[in-house]
Amino acid sequence: MAASPAVVESKNYLSRFGTLAWLSLAQLVRSPSHSRRAEAARRAARHVLWLSAGLGAAIIVLMYAIDAWEIAQMPKRGTPSLWWVRILTDFGKDEYVLAVLGGLLIAVAIVSPVLHGIRRSLLLGLGTRLQFIFCAVAVSSLVTEVLKYSIGRGRPFVGGEANAFHFSHFAGNPAYFSFPSGHATTAFALAFAVSVIWPKARVAMAVYAIVIAATRLVLVAHHPSDVVAGALVGLIGAMFVRYWFAARRLGFAIQRDGTIVSLVGPSSRRLKRVARGAFAP
């Protein structure tokens, strides 16, 4: 959301709400303006190349040497004692994650027109960061859905055996939506997006992403190579969205060497004061 929207204070609430909503969407599609965006693009391209080479090689090795063996070691699908794993894995479901992020964005949009001055700026700064996280997950998930449909890899034991090379391209059947893992994509995109904004959360978010990926294996919903591919798509998708925001000076800055860094955002203490001010009588 725009950090300093030109909202006329004399307007009524609905007018301010409409103006803020329009500005928050318009800033995402405006032309890039950062003078160092070319350096950032080259640096990001190098990182994507190395990441793709490393994880791509791991995917190939897993498909040929590990996938079939690994899924044969897992508990039988539908095992009653794994009820808690089935609950845990839903924390990486893209619909749920995007619904929570969307709800937070809506809350920011509803409260912002009520506030004024620094309070509004602080809340809109948080809104920009929530936009980034939402877009990072949404873009990555969309790419994953296209890949699932196109590749059409069968889920473990589709066809009755542990066959890692069971494909039905463009089938449109969820039984053939194994590669890449959507949950892993969401978890790693979310972990990357949150970590680049709030570095202190890196360890917790890394643990979250790994746990979600592991649940897909325990539940025999995916092969190991599926979750690694999901992680790759999630990381690259989030990196692309970060560059998109940085090139438009939204929440990120670009240093001379092309490194993208998060701008200092509102502290939790200041946001609490904003929240108290928004709901004070």
Side-chain angles (χ1 to χ4, degrees):
M1 295 190 174
S4 301
V7 179
V8 179
E9 297 298 337
S10 61
K11 289 181 177 179
N12 60 35
Y13 173 84
L14 289 179
S15 296
R16 292 199 301 270
F17 176 85
T19 302
L20 285 170
W22 168 252
L23 289 172
S24 68
L25 294 175
Q27 68 177 359
L28 296 179
V29 296
R30 71 190 185 204
S31 298
S33 59
H34 205 295
S35 60
R36 298 178 185 144
R37 61 184 184 275
E39 292 87 341
R42 287 192 291 268
R43 185 180 180 87
R46 289 196 299 271
H47 289 172
V48 168
L49 179 62
W50 283 110
L51 188 64
S52 299
L55 292 185
I59 291 169
I60 294 173
V61 171
L62 289 170
M63 290 184 71
Y64 281 92
I66 304 295
D67 279 359
W69 173 85
E70 187 278 336
I71 61 175
Q73 311 307 309
M74 292 297 102
K76 185 178 179 181
R77 182 179 291 151
T79 300
S81 61
L82 296 179
W83 60 269
W84 62 276
V85 182
R86 286 188 282 273
I87 294 174
L88 185 60
T89 199
D90 280 343
F91 285 90
K93 195 172 181 64
D94 57 352
E95 293 95 330
Y96 298 163
V97 171
L98 290 172
V100 171
L101 293 171
L104 292 173
L105 279 170
I106 291 172
V108 170
I110 291 173
V111 175
S112 295
V114 179
L115 303 178
H116 304 279
I118 187 62
R119 288 180 174 176
R120 177 185 290 163
S121 297
L122 287 171
L123 192 58
L124 290 177
L126 175 63
T128 297
R129 287 155 178 79
L130 289 174
Q131 276 186 320
F132 162 66
I133 299 172
F134 182 93
C135 291
V137 174
V139 169
S140 301
S141 297
L142 179 60
V143 172
T144 289
E145 290 303 313
V146 173
L147 291 174
K148 282 176 177 285
Y149 177 79
S150 304
I151 296 172
R153 187 186 193 186
R155 293 187 184 274
F157 296 109
V158 167
E161 59 181 351
N163 182 0
F165 296 94
H166 196 149
F167 293 91
S168 182
H169 307 298
F170 305 104
N173 185 340
Y176 291 90
F177 281 4
S178 190
F179 186 95
S181 165
H183 285 67
T185 298
T186 298
F188 278 87
L190 180 63
F192 179 90
V194 171
S195 297
V196 296
I197 294 176
W198 296 292
K200 291 183 179 180
R202 282 176 181 171
V203 174
M205 294 309 300
V207 171
Y208 156 77
I210 292 171
V211 167
I212 294 299
T215 63
R216 307 312 290 161
L217 301 179
V218 173
L219 295 175
V220 201
H222 289 283
H223 305 87
S225 58
D226 297 332
V227 299
V228 174
L232 177 61
V233 174
L235 292 172
I236 292 177
M239 289 171 66
F240 168 78
V241 174
R242 181 179 63 167
Y243 169 78
W244 184 276
F245 272 63
R248 287 157 181 78
R249 302 175 185 272
L250 298 174
F252 296 93
I254 302 176
Q255 297 179 339
R256 291 184 179 276
D257 63 351
T259 302
I260 298 175
V261 295
S262 177
L263 296 175
V264 177
S267 66
S268 59
R269 182 181 303 174
R270 299 187 76 179
L271 287 173
K272 287 177 182 177
R273 289 203 298 268
V274 170
R276 286 196 296 268
F279 296 103

